[in-house]
C-alpha cells in the first residue's frame, strides 16, 4: 500500500454516506452502528458527525432519537461540530423523513452532563462539560461553542430543530463563555427549548454579526444572555431568565409574535433594540410583561429602543408600564391575565407554566399586522409557539394563538 492516499473502508461503520444523507443517533443503542438506519444507529452525536460523508467539507446532517444525549465523556472542549450542521431531534426511531415525526414523541435532550448523574441523589455537576460544542479547534475564549479566531467562511450555517437543551455548564466555563458558538454565516433555531441552562455567559456566541433567527423556541429559567450578537425572534417564549445585561438583543429584523415575561437583568433593559433603519424599532404582537432591571424602571426596564433606528413604532402589543403618552397603536398595559403563570407545581418559571392568554385576558383578539421587514426571509407564520394555527387577520398578541 505504499504511496496510497486513501484506503477504502468496508463494514458496518464505513462512512459511505451520500452528501446530505442523515446519520441516525440513538443514545440508548446497545452497540454503536453506522447510523445508516434506525436499526443500526450511531450512539453519539460525535460518532455521527465523524461518520458523515461530508465531514471533509465540514458539513453534517444528524437525526437524533428521543432521549438524553450526554456531553462527550472526554475532558476539555466538548463536541466539535462542523460549520454546516443540521441537527434534528424529535425522532421516535421509525421515521424515514423529518416530516414523519410525531408530536407525541418524547423530548430530545442535549445536556452538559457527562455522567448522567445531575438528577440523581448525590449527583454532581463538577464533571459537566464547560461547553456543549465548538466549531474551531483554536480557542480565543473558553466557550461551549468556542469563538472562532478568524472570520467564518461562506457556509450555509447551523440549524437546530426540535432540540431541548438543559443543565449547568461545568467548572471549566470562563467568563464570556457561551453554550454554542457556530462559525458560520447563518444560525437558525426552531421548535427548540432551552430550560434552566446556567454556568455560561450566553447561549449563542454568534460573532461577526452572524444572523441568528429563533422561531417557535422557548427559553425558560435560563441564567445567561441569549446571544452575544443581535438576533431576531418569532413566536418565542422568554420567561424567568436572567443575565447581567442585554438578555434579548435584537437586530434590525426585531421581534414579532413573542412573549417576554418575568425576566431580569442587572443593568440596562431586558430587551434591547440595536439595529438601524426603519424596522429596527418596530414591535408587533409582542408581550413584554413584568420584566425587571437593576438600574432601570418603568418602560425602560422592559425595552430600550435603538438610537440608530427610526422612532419607535409599536403596535398591537402589551408592555408593562406603557402609557398613552408613549405612543403606538393599540398598545396595552396592566394585567395580561395568563392562563396559568405558576403551572401545576406552583413554582414560577419551572417549565410547566402556561403563558397563553387566560379567560378575560386583554390579549385575546388584540393582535394586528406583523409588518415583517422586507428581505428578512421571515413570512407570516402559519402556526404559533405550540403549532396551533394562526388566524390570518387578527392573530393573538404574543407567542400563543389561544
Amino acid at each position: 500500500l505504499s504511496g496510497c492516499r486513501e484506503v477504502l473502508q468496508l463494514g458496518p461503520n464505513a462512512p459511505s454516506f451520500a452528501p446530505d444523507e442523515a446519520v441516525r443517533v440513538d443514545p440508548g443503542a446497545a452497540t454503536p452502528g453506522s447510523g445508516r438506519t434506525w436499526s443500526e444507529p450511531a450512539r453519539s452525536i460525535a460518532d455521527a458527525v465523524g461518520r458523515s460523508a461530508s465531514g471533509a467539507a465540514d458539513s453534517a446532517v444528524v437525526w437524533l432519537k428521543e432521549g438524553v444525549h450526554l456531553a462527550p465523556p472526554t475532558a476539555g472542549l466538548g463536541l466539535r461540530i462542523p460549520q454546516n450542521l443540521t441537527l434534528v431531534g424529535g425522532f421516535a426511531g421509525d421515521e424515514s423523513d423529518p416530516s414523519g415525526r410525531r408530536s407525541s414523541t418524547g423530548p430530545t435532550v442535549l445536556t452538559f452532563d457527562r455522567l448522567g448523574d445531575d438528577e440523581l441523589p448525590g449527583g454532581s455537576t463538577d464533571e459537566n462539560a464547560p461547553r456543549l460544542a465548538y466549531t474551531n479547534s483554536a480557542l480565543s475564549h473558553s466557550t461551549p461553542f468556542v469563538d472562532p479566531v478568524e472570520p467564518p467562511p461562506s457556509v450555509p450555517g447551523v440549524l437546530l430543530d426540535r432540540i431541548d437543551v438543559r443543565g449547568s455548564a461545568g467548572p471549566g466555563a470562563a467568563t464570556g463563555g457561551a453554550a454554542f458558538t457556530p462559525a458560520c454565516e447563518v444560525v437558525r433555531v426552531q421548535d427548540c427549548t432551552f430550560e434552566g441552562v446556567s454556568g455560561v455567559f450566553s447561549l449563542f456566541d454568534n460573532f461577526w454579526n452572524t444572523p441568528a433567527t429563533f422561531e417557535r423556541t422557548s427559553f425558560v429559567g435560563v441564567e445567561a444572555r441569549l446571544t452575544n450578537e443581535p438576533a431576531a425572534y418569532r413566536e418565542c417564549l422568554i420567561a424567568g431568565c436572567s443575565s447581567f445585561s442585554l438578555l434579548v438583543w435584537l437586530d434590525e429584523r426585531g421581534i414579532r409574535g413573542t412573549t417576554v415575561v418575568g425576566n431580569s437583568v442587572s443593568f440596562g433593559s431586558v430587551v434591547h433594540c440595536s439595529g438601524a433603519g426603519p424596522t429596527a424599532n418596530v414591535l408587533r404582537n409582542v408581550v413584554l410583561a413584568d420584566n425587571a432591571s437593576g438600574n432601570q424602571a418603568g418602560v425602560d426596564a422592559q425595552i430600550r429602543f435603538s438610537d440608530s433606528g427610526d422612532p419607535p413604532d409599536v403596535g398591537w402589543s402589551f408592555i408593562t408600564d406603557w402609557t398613552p403618552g408613549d405612543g403606538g397603536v393599540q398598545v396595552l398595559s396592566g394585567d395580561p391575565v395568563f392562563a396559568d403563570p405558576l403551572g401545576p407545581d406552583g413554582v414560577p418559571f419551572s417549565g410547566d407554566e402556561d403563558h397563553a392568554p387566560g379567560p378575560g385576558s386583554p390579549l385575546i383578539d388584540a393582535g394586528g399586522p406583523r409588518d415583517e421587514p422586507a428581505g428578512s426571509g421571515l413570512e407570516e407564520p402559519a402556526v404559533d409557539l405550540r403549532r396551533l394555527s394562526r388566524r390570518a387577520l387578527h392573530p393573538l398578541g404574543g407567542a400563543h394563538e389561544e
Side-chain angles (χ1 to χ4, degrees):
L1 297 177
S2 176
C4 288
R5 300 185 61 179
E6 184 173 341
V7 176
L8 176 64
Q9 296 185 29
L10 301 175
N13 293 325
S16 56
F17 290 88
D20 298 325
E21 181 181 358
V23 186
R24 295 156 177 81
V25 178
D26 179 357
T31 57
S34 67
R36 294 186 186 88
T37 65
W38 286 117
S39 61
E40 52 173 22
R43 196 159 55 180
S44 72
I45 301 172
D47 287 346
V49 170
R51 291 172 189 169
S52 174
S54 54
D58 216 10
S59 175
V61 178
V62 180
W63 293 356
L64 303 180
K65 187 177 178 180
E66 61 182 328
V68 177
H69 296 256
L70 300 177
T74 55
L77 303 179
L79 172 67
R80 184 192 186 279
I81 63 169
Q83 292 170 326
N84 178 25
L85 172 69
T86 299
L87 193 62
V88 185
F91 289 93
D94 56 4
E95 302 91 342
S96 59
D97 186 87
S99 63
R101 292 175 297 170
R102 299 178 286 276
S103 60
S104 59
T105 302
T108 300
V109 178
L110 299 189
T111 174
F112 293 88
D113 191 0
R114 287 191 173 116
L115 302 181
D117 66 345
D118 282 6
E119 304 297 326
L120 299 178
S124 171
T125 61
D126 290 346
E127 89 294 336
N128 283 14
R131 59 191 62 82
L132 289 176
Y134 66 99
T135 54
N136 195 309
S137 59
L139 307 185
S140 59
H141 298 283
S142 178
T143 64
F145 265 128
V146 173
D147 313 343
V149 297
E150 297 178 356
S154 295
V155 294
V158 170
L159 168 67
L160 301 183
D161 181 354
R162 204 164 157 182
I163 303 293
D164 287 11
V165 179
R166 302 177 188 172
S168 176
T175 300
F180 299 95
T181 306
C184 59
E185 289 192 347
V186 176
V187 176
R188 198 173 197 99
V189 179
Q190 62 188 36
D191 299 300
C192 292
T193 298
F194 296 83
E195 184 176 322
V197 178
S198 62
V200 293
F201 182 76
S202 62
L203 293 181
F204 285 83
D205 208 345
N206 51 324
F207 271 94
W208 301 290
N209 293 314
T210 298
T213 304
F214 298 93
E215 296 181 278
R216 299 180 305 278
T217 291
S218 295
F219 306 86
V220 179
V222 172
E223 298 178 19
R225 179 185 291 182
L226 303 188
T227 62
N228 264 0
E229 294 288 339
Y233 296 82
R234 298 294 187 272
E235 280 43 70
C236 292
L237 170 68
I238 304 167
C241 302
S242 61
S243 74
F244 175 72
S245 65
L246 296 177
L247 176 69
V248 184
W249 197 0
L250 303 177
D251 63 20
E252 63 274 6
R253 297 172 297 163
I255 186 170
R256 306 282 194 280
T258 291
T259 299
V260 185
V261 56
N263 305 283
S264 64
V265 293
S266 300
F267 178 82
S269 305
V270 168
V271 177
H272 181 82
C273 303
S274 63
T279 64
N281 290 323
V282 176
L283 265 68
R284 295 290 186 269
N285 301 307
V286 173
V287 176
L288 305 180
D290 302 323
N291 300 289
S293 167
N295 73 334
Q296 300 291 330
V299 172
D300 291 336
Q302 310 299 315
I303 187 168
R304 177 181 176 180
F305 293 100
S306 172
D307 295 332
S308 301
D310 284 6
D313 181 0
V314 182
W316 299 276
S317 295
F318 178 102
I319 303 178
T320 293
D321 293 326
W322 191 270
T323 67
D326 294 316
V329 177
Q330 295 188 33
V331 184
L332 308 176
S333 190
D335 183 355
V337 189
F338 294 121
D340 190 358
L342 295 181
D345 66 2
V347 179
F349 311 120
S350 62
D352 65 348
E353 303 80 22
D354 185 356
H355 287 100
S361 170
L363 305 179
I364 296 174
D365 294 327
R370 295 165 64 92
D371 298 333
E372 289 287 0
S376 67
L378 297 168
E379 301 176 352
E380 290 281 344
V383 295
D384 72 348
L385 175 68
R386 298 178 297 184
R387 288 196 166 274
L388 295 176
S389 296
R390 284 287 200 192
R391 285 170 283 173
L393 295 179
H394 296 288
L396 198 65
H400 302 87
E401 180 63 22
E402 56 187 30

